[in-house]
Every structure is written in C-alpha cells, then in structure tokens.
C-alpha cells in the first residue's frame, strides 16, 4: 500500500484506520465463533487464561503431555 498509494494515504491508514480495522476483525472473529463453535465447547475469558497458564507451566516443568513442537529434545 505504501508504494501504490503514497505517503499520505499510508500515514492515514497507519495512524487512523489501523485500530478500527483491528476492532472489526476481532469482533467478526468473535461473532463467527459464537455461530460456529457449539455452546458446550466455548470457554470464558478466565478459563482461557487459566488453561494457558497451566499449559505454559507444564512446558517449563518439562512434563510429557506438552504438545510435540514444544517438547524438549534429549541432550
């Protein structure tokens, strides 16, 4: 966009339009998840935070149930 539209358009996009566009994207994602993901499978904000903390603590502790990409390799 910088090369196609020029500095003024790029500056307007970066300084004014970035935040509203991001809010639209996250709002759209939230609405799609509400429609697509069944109510029983949805987690609340606090549940997501707590699950993330448990996951990262298990990685630091080196537990075996960590996902493959994060498992420590034998040395």
């Amino acid at each position: 966009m910088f090369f196609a539209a020029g500095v003024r358009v790029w500056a307007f996009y970066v300084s004014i339009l970035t935040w509203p566009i991001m809010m639209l994207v996250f709002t759209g994602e939230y609405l799609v998840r509400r429609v697509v993901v069944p109510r029983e499978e949805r987690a609340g904000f606090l549940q997501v935070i707590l699950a993330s903390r448990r996951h990262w603590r298990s990685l630091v502790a080196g537990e075996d149930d960590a996902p493959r990409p994060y498992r420590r390799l034998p040395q």
Side-chain angles (χ1 to χ4, degrees):
M1 180 192 278
F2 177 78
F3 294 111
V7 175
R8 292 184 117 181
V9 174
W10 177 253
F12 179 73
Y13 169 75
V14 169
S15 61
I16 305 294
L17 295 180
T18 300
W19 288 106
I21 290 172
M22 290 299 293
M23 287 189 297
L24 284 173
V25 167
F26 283 113
T27 302
E29 178 189 8
Y30 173 75
L31 294 173
V32 168
R33 285 178 181 260
R34 295 228 10 155
V35 171
V36 173
V37 178
R39 180 177 217 103
E40 307 83 42
E41 294 182 21
R42 282 189 243 150
F45 184 74
L46 183 59
Q47 290 172 319
V48 171
I49 298 298
L50 294 175
S52 178
R53 288 180 67 193
R54 280 192 306 271
H55 171 73
W56 287 108
R57 284 182 179 168
S58 72
L59 292 179
V60 170
E63 295 175 4
D64 288 334
D65 61 346
R68 283 259 177 226
Y70 299 107
R71 285 194 181 174
R72 294 195 172 115
L73 297 174
Q75 296 181 2

